[in-house]
Amino acid sequence: MTKLYEKQSFKAPAAGFTFESFDLPSTNQRILGPPHPPDTVSPLALRPSTGIETDITLDDVVETVNSLQAQNGTLTAALARHGTLLFRGLPIHNATDFSRFAHAFGYRPHEIIGIVVDRPVLAPNVAPASEAPKDVLIYNHNESPQVPHAPEYIFFYGHRVPARGGESPISSSLELFHRAQLEIPELIQQLADKGILSRVVYKKEPAYVGGSSLRQAFGKEVQEGDDEATQRRKMEAQIARYGRGKFTTWEWTEDGLVVTHRLPAIRTQPRTNLPSLFTGLAAYYKNMTVNNHGGRRNLTQQLYGDGTPIPEEHLAQLVQITDDIRVLHKWEQGDILVFDNVIAQHGREPWEGDQKDRVVMASLWDGESVPGAYGYGEWAQVVQALDPVESSV
């Protein structure tokens, strides 16, 4: 079991039941290192109080979450400290139940512009977490680090879980920055000064199983019968909604589109202003060295902001640090993981058995603002996507 820490409980002030924390195996839960406060555990595992005498309903759960969030955002504050919350033992059995639970937190649904994976809608603001084949490793990363408009909160629901493998890695972006600053200071200095140049290739047809097409990424306004010039104009209007001027550019190719963003890789946690390594660099390196098949290579290119390459030995060191600070969440059916995407990273391990043995759903949400940039350079300012009406005037 994990090192002892102070147990927590969350009692809804008006009605409902109490969420109580409980221990997980040490492979699944750990005490976070600096700069987190002492004895901060992640994930913080919560379940209904064992003192409940009657079965709780989904209405009870929604009412309790609503009440806790109305009390100065109790669960949001817990996320800001622990990075990840696990909810277990709730009466959630399908995408619709999961949607109701996620909506109860009171966040705004996140609109993805430039989607790179296939996410068909299963329920309001619910989609598959990933349709990638079961043997593909998805290494630790923050959600959507390669685009300017990233969600602040991510919910995952384990609808069907495999007997072996398929864990979801959990790690702290704050701890990753702290360790990297000590162990790879030159990388951190370069990222702080230059940021990241992210080039993403979008092809007319998905380049790999579970990937998105160009039309899925930017074609939400495209209609059947639109000629090529009209399609391009509508897709370019979607890209323009990022609102970043010269720091987001694009180029049409014979089989699709290449979009280039200059972005901060270091962002700050709201309220604490602690620096977070908000990135997919370790996953990018793993994708080059492990997932060397299926059309995944060369679809995303990550460089320093001035266009110079990031040394592979620095990327490999990021992987070593991440391996050291992460845990692997072993799913139980019905589990829900909630991530504060500013300060926590997630991923997906391969699994044995059939593809259909693991069904995990995702729901992405915006908080008060897009995860903010570290530093004060004009290029570093990460902005909300513009309203479609605003972008057309």
Side-chain angles (χ1 to χ4, degrees), residues 176-314:
L176 180 62
F177 176 90
H178 181 82
R179 287 278 301 271
Q181 190 174 42
L182 293 175
E183 299 173 31
I184 331 170
E186 57 271 41
L187 172 66
I188 295 300
Q189 187 61 57
Q190 292 288 311
L191 290 176
D193 291 343
K194 300 177 180 179
I196 288 287
L197 200 67
S198 176
R199 290 197 181 103
V200 185
V201 177
Y202 299 92
K203 297 190 175 183
K204 293 179 181 178
E205 299 298 329
Y208 56 88
V209 176
S212 67
S213 67
L214 173 60
R215 184 164 177 177
Q216 286 172 306
F218 298 111
K220 63 182 65 181
E221 300 297 331
V222 172
Q223 298 179 359
E224 295 299 329
D226 284 347
D227 59 27
E228 185 172 354
T230 301
Q231 291 184 40
R232 288 192 176 192
R233 176 178 55 80
K234 289 182 175 181
M235 291 183 185
E236 289 175 354
Q238 291 297 317
I239 301 172
R241 291 177 59 206
Y242 286 130
R244 304 189 73 245
K246 64 182 180 181
F247 301 114
T248 291
T249 59
W250 59 90
E251 177 184 3
W252 290 97
T253 64
E254 288 187 4
D255 62 346
L257 181 69
V258 179
V259 181
T260 301
H261 304 285
R262 190 175 177 209
L263 298 166
I266 304 169
R267 308 197 189 185
T268 54
Q269 181 183 29
R271 293 174 292 278
T272 68
N273 284 328
L274 288 170
S276 171
L277 198 51
F278 187 95
T279 179
L281 284 176
Y284 168 66
Y285 177 75
K286 279 285 194 179
N287 204 40
M288 290 192 301
T289 57
V290 176
N291 295 323
N292 190 14
H293 61 83
R296 288 177 166 264
R297 290 197 66 174
N298 302 321
L299 288 181
T300 301
Q301 189 176 20
Q302 302 276 282
L303 306 166
Y304 282 131
D306 61 0
T308 56
I310 302 172
E312 283 199 21
E313 61 267 26
H314 291 169

Side-chain angles (χ1 to χ4, degrees), residues 95-176:
T96 301
D97 293 346
F98 175 46
S99 177
R100 285 192 62 197
F101 174 80
H103 276 83
F105 281 69
Y107 306 137
R108 297 187 305 276
H110 175 75
E111 179 192 3
I112 304 175
I113 301 176
I115 187 172
V116 296
V117 296
D118 185 18
R119 284 197 168 128
V121 176
L122 304 175
N125 207 36
V126 171
S130 174
E131 300 279 61
K134 64 186 180 65
D135 60 334
V136 172
L137 169 70
I138 302 175
Y139 197 69
N140 291 52
H141 63 283
N142 300 92
E143 183 62 34
S144 302
Q146 76 278 19
V147 297
H149 181 206
E152 191 164 350
Y153 302 105
I154 312 168
F155 292 65
F156 292 110
Y157 156 57
H159 181 64
R160 188 178 302 134
V161 301
R164 189 181 297 274
E167 298 90 350
S168 287
I170 299 170
S171 58
S172 164
S173 302
L174 299 178
E175 192 174 1
L176 180 62

Side-chain angles (χ1 to χ4, degrees), residues 132-134 162 164-166 348-355 357-358:
K134 64 186 180 65
R164 189 181 297 274
R348 192 200 73 176
E349 293 289 294
W351 68 93
E352 298 179 9
D354 294 331
Q355 181 76 18
D357 289 342
R358 186 186 192 272

Side-chain angles (χ1 to χ4, degrees), residues 8-47:
Q8 299 186 51
S9 63
F10 300 95
K11 170 65 176 175
F17 57 87
T18 299
F19 282 116
E20 293 183 342
S21 64
F22 64 100
D23 289 333
L24 296 170
S26 59
T27 53
N28 202 140
Q29 189 181 52
R30 65 184 288 268
I31 301 296
L32 298 173
H36 292 275
D39 298 326
T40 299
V41 69
S42 186
L44 178 65
L46 300 172
R47 62 189 174 194

